[in-house]
């Protein structure tokens, strides 16, 4: 993943020999790719994150400095669904630049860049950069920078710069500042997101090395405070600032030194960030000043930060071989997941933002993407899943309100939400092909609350966390069941229940050709997942009723008739099939004509934006058998073939298991993968039937953001669902890991592209090191006093005692 620029013998990064499997590198990157590189070079800690923007840059169309706090949102003026909340771009803490005597302050486009090397050192969590520039008088200056957002102390971030005047001597000035003049401008294609969210910026100095800044959001009235310290030194000589500069929303300190060529100047900038959302805080600026006062120099922060990262890598490892081309992408994905969701996130009241804390794509909103994220976390940092399910639980009030607005019982989480849990889905979207704003009906995706219910159950199955099931879990399951039980209408003629007017995950179909945007009837994904949820709600309720340990908790009151009604619906929901026995995506799907794929491929090449392309032609994807992303196949992804066949069977239909490969083929050949989540689901369902294609699909998913320097949307943030989903394919799908009836089951099947796979999972509070290759599975449990873990490998029952290793041969690939 190295850039292609020439090697600079003076560059520490070019010559350091950092291990290739741990470093994401770019050399002499081009302006077009800068936005995506900034997203991919983001450093964060699950509370605070900053894009990898150059400290000497401001938002200029190429660069976009963005710093975000998880859950720190505001709404710009506007009405109804045109005014969505957005994550707020905070004051920029990075500004740092220099100038030689009588020269210009260095900024992109000023002076000549001779070499730039950017390297994200994943192992230690540090973004390193080396830059060599020459000014008009050919004075060459080298900058070496290291940047971190501390995993050890979540409110601290630091930037260390070494400046060397390479071929000149004389006066050097350094300017370090805080910029509160920032606006949200990273996702201009989205409704109501761009503009100035911060009001009442105040700033000042706290002595010759320190600055402070406060700001308040215009509508949500959240306050943020930054305290920054810049220490400039040459050898042991410290140089205080000699001047303060800036305007009403910007402040900086200027340091001046007389240098001789080759003599390094160290600039150590540290910032503490607090907000009015933080716990255990009297006032954000007081807290920021106190924290900064206690913060050690960069080397100390970096050591503490690296130590926490070392522990995280132990917990999060997925090893496919140090020499394997995909080891680095796997680590990059893991790293960015943890930039957004880390142990620090557990204490916050936040959900899973679709684009991480890496940009302003989708306004920082929460969709259903957690469905792809939690399975990885459940086996690594389950306390995070629990915290985020509790975030949903706290928003049941709005979810009940949304259900009530539709005349329904129970709760309906909105398709897009943010701070309070109210519906933040946009009313309009911009067609990128025509530039026109068109109505957006994606909020018909009520399946989001099925994802929440599914996640709650999965968390319970993986952890056996009874207090969770008895409180948060049961409420989420019961309220979801109530909503869908109310949405299902009974047709006595067929003794069937119908669910009408909804949308599945496939955003190409928001209605019928003659009834666009009114939703679909009997969407297979929705109906099967409703049947599943109703069954789980009954099961959870029964389990808690019988469990003496669950007595002290208050349970939602569900009477016997209601439970029986759910069970009845769960046996009689309607599904449709194509003539050849393939499960139809929705009622009426069979009547849709095929798209002339060849024509469209020839005409446009990349068909990911197919809906926009067709709309520009006056046509609509509603009219054809096409999918943006996995929909029916999501069922196989979530449930597997056995459970799906069982559920469909219970609904009184026969799902011919022999038709599953044909089903996969049918939908796969009609899918454009317009959503990055699609490839994850497809790689999963192909794993058992077509390993080659599964692997190719996984590689495409792994490359979603990494390979997207120029024409994708990664500049607005990484795709967190795809990021975690790809890791989970390695963790659960290729190992065949399943937890059913309190037993951990393994049925590994590695694709040929992998020689082996090693990961450390945490199952019901116990750590297990798992190594799989094409011949055997090896499981090791660290020493301890706990009872052995029951494990089944390809049907063979075993018990893994603490402090032991069990090796099981795989008799030929299954
Ligand atoms: C996908 C959704 C997803 C959203 C946010 C959309 O393009 O169709 O399934 O939730 O992006 O990631």
């Amino acid at each position: 993943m190295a850039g292609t620029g020439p090697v600079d013998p003076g560059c520490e990064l070019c010559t350091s020999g950092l291990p290739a499997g741990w470093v994401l590198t770019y050399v002499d990157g081009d302006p077009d790719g800068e936005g995506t590189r900034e997203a991919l070079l983001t450093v964060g800690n699950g509370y605070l994150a900053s894009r990898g923007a150059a400290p000497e840059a401001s938002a200029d169309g190429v660069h976009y400095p963005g710093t975000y706090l998880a859950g720190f949102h505001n709404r710009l003026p506007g009405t109804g669904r045109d005014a969505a909340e957005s994550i707020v771009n905070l004051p920029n803490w990075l500004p740092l630049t220099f100038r030689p005597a009588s020269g210009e302050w260095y900024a992109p486009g000023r002076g000549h860049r001779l070499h730039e090397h950017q390297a994200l050192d994943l192992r230690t969590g540090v973004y390193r950069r080396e830059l060599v520039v020459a000014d008009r008088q050919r004075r060459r200056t080298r900058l070496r920078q290291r940047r971190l957002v501390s995993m050890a102390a979540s409110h601290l971030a630091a930037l260390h710069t070494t400046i060397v005047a390479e071929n000149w001597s004389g006066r050097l000035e350094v300017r370090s500042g805080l910029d509160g003049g920032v606006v949200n401008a990273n996702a201009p294609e989205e409704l109501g997101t761009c503009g100035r969210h911060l009001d009442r910026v105040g700033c000042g100095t706290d002595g010759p090395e320190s600055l402070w800044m406060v700001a308040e959001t215009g509508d949500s009235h959240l306050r943020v405070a930054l305290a920054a310290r810049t220490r400039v030194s040459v050898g042991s000589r410290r140089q205080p600032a000699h001047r303060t500069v800036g305007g009403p929303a910007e402040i900086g300190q200027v340091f001046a030194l007389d240098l001789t060529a080759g003599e390094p100047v160290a600039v150590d900038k540290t910032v503490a960030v607090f907000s009015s959302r933080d716990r255990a805080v009297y006032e954000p600026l007081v807290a920021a000043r106190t924290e900064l006062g206690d913060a050690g120099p960069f080397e100390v922060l970096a050591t503490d930060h690296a130590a926490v990262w070392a522990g995280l890598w132990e917990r999060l490892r997925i090893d496919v071989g140090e020499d394997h081309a995909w080891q680095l992408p796997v680590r990059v994905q893991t790293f960015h997941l943890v930039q957004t969701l880390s142990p620090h996130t557990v204490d916050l009241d936040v959900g899973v933002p679709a684009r991480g804390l890496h940009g302003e794509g989708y306004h920082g909103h929460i969709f259903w993407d957690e469905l792809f994220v939690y399975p990885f976390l459940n086996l690594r940092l389950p306390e995070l899943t629990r915290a985020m399910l509790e975030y949903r639980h706290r928003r049941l009030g709005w979810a009940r309100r949304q259900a009530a607005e539709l005349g329904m019982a129970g709760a309906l989480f909105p398709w897009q939400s943010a701070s309070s849990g109210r519906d933040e889905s946009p009313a309009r979207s911009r067609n990128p092909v025509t530039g026109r704003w068109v109505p957006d009906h994606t909020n018909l995706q009520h399946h989001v609350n099925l994802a929440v219910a599914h996640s709650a159950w999965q968390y319970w199955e993986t952890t056996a966390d009874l207090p969770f099931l008895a409180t948060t879990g049961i409420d989420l399951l019961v309220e979801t069941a109530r909503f869908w039980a109310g949405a299902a209408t009974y047709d006595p003629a067929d003794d069937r229940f119908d669910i009408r007017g909804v949308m599945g995950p496939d955003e190409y179909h928001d209605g019928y050709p003659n009834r666009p945007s009114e939703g679909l009837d009997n969407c297979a994904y929705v109906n099967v997942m409703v049947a599943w949820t109703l069954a789980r709600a009954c099961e959870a309720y029964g389990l808690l009723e019988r469990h003496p340990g669950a007595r002290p908790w208050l349970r939602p009151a569900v009477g016997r008739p209601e439970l029986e009604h759910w069970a009845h619906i769960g046996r009689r929901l309607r599904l449709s099939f194509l003539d050849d026995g393939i499960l139809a995506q929705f009622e009426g799907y069979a009547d849709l004509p095929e798209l002339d794929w060849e024509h469209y491929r020839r005409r446009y090449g990349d068909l990911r934006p197919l809906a926009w392309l067709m709309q520009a032609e006056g046509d609509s994807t509603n009219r054809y058998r096409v999918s943006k992303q996995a929909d029916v196949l999501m069922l196989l992804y979530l449930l597997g073939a056995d459970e799906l066949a069982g559920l469909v069977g219970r609904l009184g239909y026969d799902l011919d298991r022999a038709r599953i490969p044909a089903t996969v083929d049918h939908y796969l050949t009609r899918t454009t993968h317009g959503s990055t989540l699609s490839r994850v689901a497809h790689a999963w369902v192909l794993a058992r039937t077509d390993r080659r294609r599964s692997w190719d699909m996984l590689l495409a998913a792994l490359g979603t953001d990494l390979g997207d320097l120029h024409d994708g949307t990664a500049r607005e943030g990484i795709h967190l669902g795809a990021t975690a989903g790809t890791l989970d394919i390695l963790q659960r799908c290729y190992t065949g890991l399943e937890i059913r009836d309190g037993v951990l089951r393994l049925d590994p099947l590695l694709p040929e592209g992998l020689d082996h796979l090693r990961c450390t999972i945490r199952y019901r509070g116990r750590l297990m090191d798992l190594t799989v290759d094409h011949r055997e599975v090896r499981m090791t449990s660290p020493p301890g006093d706990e009872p052995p873990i029951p494990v089944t490998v390809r049907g063979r029952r075993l018990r893994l005692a603490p402090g032991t290793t069990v090796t099981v041969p795989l008799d030929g690939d299954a």
Side-chain angles (χ1 to χ4, degrees):
M1 236 25 79
T4 48
V7 168
D8 169 11
C11 170
E12 269 186 3
L13 295 171
C14 286
T15 54
S16 67
L18 287 165
W22 286 99
V23 189
L24 178 64
T25 312
Y26 300 101
V27 179
D28 295 342
D30 61 341
D32 279 359
E34 185 66 11
T36 300
R37 283 196 301 278
E38 286 177 349
L40 289 167
L41 295 169
T42 293
V43 283
N45 59 23
Y47 164 77
L48 169 72
S50 288
R51 287 165 64 85
E56 66 278 3
S58 47
D60 57 8
V62 172
H63 304 84
Y64 188 77
T67 289
Y68 309 99
L69 278 178
F72 193 92
H73 288 215
N74 181 57
R75 193 186 305 287
L76 290 177
T79 50
R81 281 173 50 214
D82 272 3
E85 254 185 45
S86 179
I87 191 158
V88 174
N89 186 15
L90 298 183
N92 184 12
W93 65 274
L94 290 168
L96 187 92
T97 186
F98 70 94
R99 66 176 172 195
S102 69
E104 283 184 309
W105 288 113
Y106 177 67
R110 285 203 205 133
H112 183 46
R113 182 184 76 172
L114 301 172
H115 179 70
E116 184 174 21
H117 195 137
Q118 299 164 291
L120 187 61
D121 180 349
L122 305 166
R123 195 199 297 261
T124 58
V126 173
Y127 166 30
R128 300 173 62 175
R129 173 174 182 245
E130 188 137 345
L131 176 73
V132 186
V133 292
D135 69 3
R136 286 210 196 110
Q137 293 156 53
R138 307 222 169 130
R139 287 178 291 196
R140 216 169 54 234
T141 310
R142 181 178 296 269
L143 268 76
R144 276 193 189 121
Q145 293 184 315
R146 284 172 295 155
R147 182 191 307 185
L148 59 85
V149 171
S150 176
M151 265 301 168
S154 62
H155 296 274
L156 292 179
L159 171 70
H160 188 276
T161 307
T162 304
I163 305 176
V164 182
E166 289 210 319
N167 63 352
W168 59 275
S169 298
R171 174 143 281 227
L172 168 82
E173 282 191 315
V174 175
R175 193 179 71 200
S176 167
L178 298 173
D179 180 6
V182 293
V183 297
N184 272 45
N186 180 233
E189 304 280 286
E190 291 178 22
L191 193 63
T193 176
C194 289
R196 185 152 172 80
H197 288 265
L198 294 172
D199 280 351
R200 300 196 206 181
V201 177
C203 49
T205 58
D206 278 336
E209 294 182 327
S210 300
L211 300 169
W212 60 268
M213 179 168 281
V214 291
E216 186 174 320
T217 55
D219 195 53
S220 54
H221 301 294
L222 295 178
R223 281 171 300 126
V224 62
L226 289 79
R229 178 182 69 208
T230 308
R231 286 199 171 139
V232 177
S233 47
V234 181
S236 56
R237 191 161 39 96
R238 278 251 292 274
Q239 187 66 46
H242 77 113
R243 182 152 75 83
T244 303
V245 291
E250 197 186 346
I251 188 157
Q253 286 172 317
V254 178
F255 303 77
L257 312 97
D258 291 314
L259 274 193
T260 43
E263 192 180 24
V265 180
V267 183
D268 188 348
K269 182 173 187 180
T270 309
V271 64
V273 184
F274 279 80
S275 91
S276 52
R277 289 190 92 235
D278 294 333
R279 299 197 198 180
V281 161
Y282 165 68
E283 196 280 330
L285 183 58
V286 171
R289 282 176 170 146
T290 311
E291 183 84 359
L292 186 68
D294 291 344
F298 187 89
E299 300 308 333
V300 172
L301 297 182
T303 306
D304 294 349
H305 174 67
V308 178
W309 263 110
L312 282 170
W313 282 118
E314 278 299 308
R315 289 275 290 279
L316 298 168
R317 69 170 343 142
I318 295 187
D319 295 340
V320 293
E322 225 37 59
D323 299 332
H324 198 289
W326 292 95
Q327 184 62 74
L328 177 62
V330 164
R331 289 196 179 121
V332 172
Q333 309 277 59
T334 312
F335 188 82
H336 285 307
L337 178 63
V338 182
Q339 305 298 296
T340 310
L341 307 173
S342 83
H344 296 296
T345 318
V346 176
D347 273 348
L348 311 176
D349 177 36
V350 298
V352 177
R355 306 300 285 279
L357 291 177
H358 298 61
E360 291 151 28
Y362 291 132
H363 313 257
H365 287 175
I366 320 299
F367 295 64
W368 71 319
D369 303 38
E370 63 209 61
L371 191 63
F372 296 81
V373 175
Y374 294 154
F376 178 76
L377 295 179
N378 284 340
L379 287 162
R380 304 296 178 126
L381 301 165
E383 55 279 12
L384 259 172
T385 310
R386 179 177 173 147
M388 289 182 294
L389 286 165
E390 279 163 0
Y391 160 90
R392 287 290 195 185
H393 189 254
R394 270 177 231 116
R395 283 148 185 83
L396 269 175
W398 265 105
R400 291 196 183 100
R401 215 163 283 137
Q402 161 140 328
E405 275 165 20
L406 297 174
M408 299 287 186
L412 173 61
F413 290 104
W415 175 234
Q416 294 188 33
S417 60
S419 318
S420 65
R422 76 159 231 195
D423 186 7
E424 303 287 349
S425 316
R428 292 175 294 143
S429 290
R430 189 170 169 276
N431 181 330
V433 181
T434 60
R436 279 204 299 274
W437 289 91
V438 293
D440 183 321
H441 300 286
T442 48
N443 66 332
L444 289 170
Q445 287 181 80
H446 301 163
H447 65 81
V448 59
N449 70 346
L450 296 167
V452 175
H454 186 264
S455 299
W457 184 261
Q458 283 255 313
Y459 167 79
W460 149 252
E461 276 210 314
T462 316
T463 59
D465 180 348
L466 186 70
F468 167 84
L469 185 70
T471 52
T472 305
I474 192 70
D475 284 345
L476 293 174
L477 285 161
V478 163
E479 292 293 57
T480 306
R482 282 198 170 129
F483 173 81
W484 289 105
T489 52
Y490 187 59
D491 173 3
D494 294 340
D495 183 24
R496 282 277 169 204
F497 285 90
D498 296 295
I499 296 180
R500 303 199 179 278
V502 294
M503 237 177 116
D506 168 21
E507 296 189 332
Y508 282 177
H509 291 274
D510 67 2
Y512 290 96
N514 56 345
R515 285 191 280 135
S517 40
E518 289 179 26
L520 303 163
D521 301 335
N522 295 317
C523 165
Y525 175 77
V526 169
N527 285 15
V528 172
M529 288 310 292
V530 168
W532 181 92
T533 302
L534 293 172
R536 293 297 79 74
C538 292
E539 188 177 341
Y541 204 80
L543 198 143
L544 293 173
E545 249 179 354
R546 289 191 304 277
H547 202 298
R551 289 254 161 78
W553 286 289
L554 291 175
R555 267 193 313 276
V558 186
R560 196 61 36 214
E562 190 172 9
L563 291 169
E564 277 163 16
H565 183 54
W566 294 352
H568 182 207
I569 298 172
R571 286 192 304 273
R572 300 303 300 158
L573 276 162
R574 198 190 303 272
L575 296 176
S576 301
F577 292 83
L578 303 182
D579 287 345
D580 51 5
I582 287 176
L583 188 55
Q585 193 171 315
F586 47 82
E587 198 174 300
Y589 177 84
D591 304 330
L592 300 180
E594 297 287 359
L595 185 79
D596 183 350
W597 288 94
E598 264 326 297
H599 163 78
Y600 276 92
R601 280 208 186 94
R602 258 199 322 274
R603 178 131 191 226
Y604 297 110
D606 179 7
L607 292 188
R608 281 175 303 169
L610 185 67
W612 300 126
L613 295 167
M614 295 189 78
Q615 193 182 65
E617 292 179 347
D619 205 342
S620 160
T621 43
N622 272 329
R623 298 186 49 222
Y624 303 93
R625 291 184 182 188
V626 290
S627 312
K628 174 180 174 188
Q629 63 201 95
D631 194 294
V632 168
L633 299 188
M634 277 301 297
L635 293 169
L636 282 168
Y637 170 65
L638 292 179
L639 306 171
D642 290 344
E643 197 170 1
L644 177 60
L647 275 163
V648 172
R650 217 154 356 105
L651 286 169
Y653 300 101
D654 186 20
L655 183 81
D656 181 359
R657 301 225 11 201
R659 301 296 298 147
I660 288 183
T663 308
V664 173
D665 211 52
H666 177 94
Y667 289 106
L668 191 52
T669 51
R670 291 165 178 80
T671 301
T672 64
H673 305 297
S675 162
T676 58
L677 301 173
S678 186
R679 288 208 167 85
V680 174
H682 282 105
W684 188 287
V685 302
L686 284 168
R688 302 273 143 178
T689 54
D690 190 339
R691 271 191 281 176
R692 174 80 249 156
R693 271 168 98 198
S694 167
W695 179 241
D696 290 346
M697 203 60 93
L698 178 73
L699 297 190
L702 266 173
T704 297
D705 294 324
L706 280 169
D708 170 35
L709 278 187
H710 296 111
D711 45 33
T713 52
R715 66 181 61 235
E716 295 164 13
I718 55 132
H719 296 81
L720 206 67
T723 296
T726 48
L727 298 174
D728 189 44
I729 289 181
L730 294 166
Q731 172 177 275
R732 282 192 313 142
C733 178
Y734 291 162
T735 58
L737 193 158
E738 240 189 306
I739 294 154
R740 241 187 304 132
D741 310 324
V743 180
L744 181 73
R745 293 158 206 271
L746 296 170
D747 185 2
L749 193 57
L750 292 190
E752 265 150 35
L754 281 184
D755 293 333
H756 72 274
L757 176 64
R758 181 175 168 205
C759 56
T760 305
I761 60 166
R762 194 160 134 223
Y763 170 63
R764 303 198 172 176
R766 306 272 303 279
L767 287 180
M768 185 197 282
D769 197 75
L770 192 65
T771 308
V772 174
D773 61 27
H774 292 273
R775 292 181 316 277
E776 60 185 35
V777 177
R778 198 166 63 249
M779 293 162 285
T780 303
S781 167
D785 298 331
E786 299 88 353
I789 309 174
V791 185
T792 299
V793 181
R794 292 226 177 130
R796 218 173 119 192
R797 288 175 194 208
L798 310 155
R799 295 173 80 74
L800 181 66
T804 63
T805 296
V806 174
T807 305
V808 186
L810 300 171
D811 316 315
D813 273 346

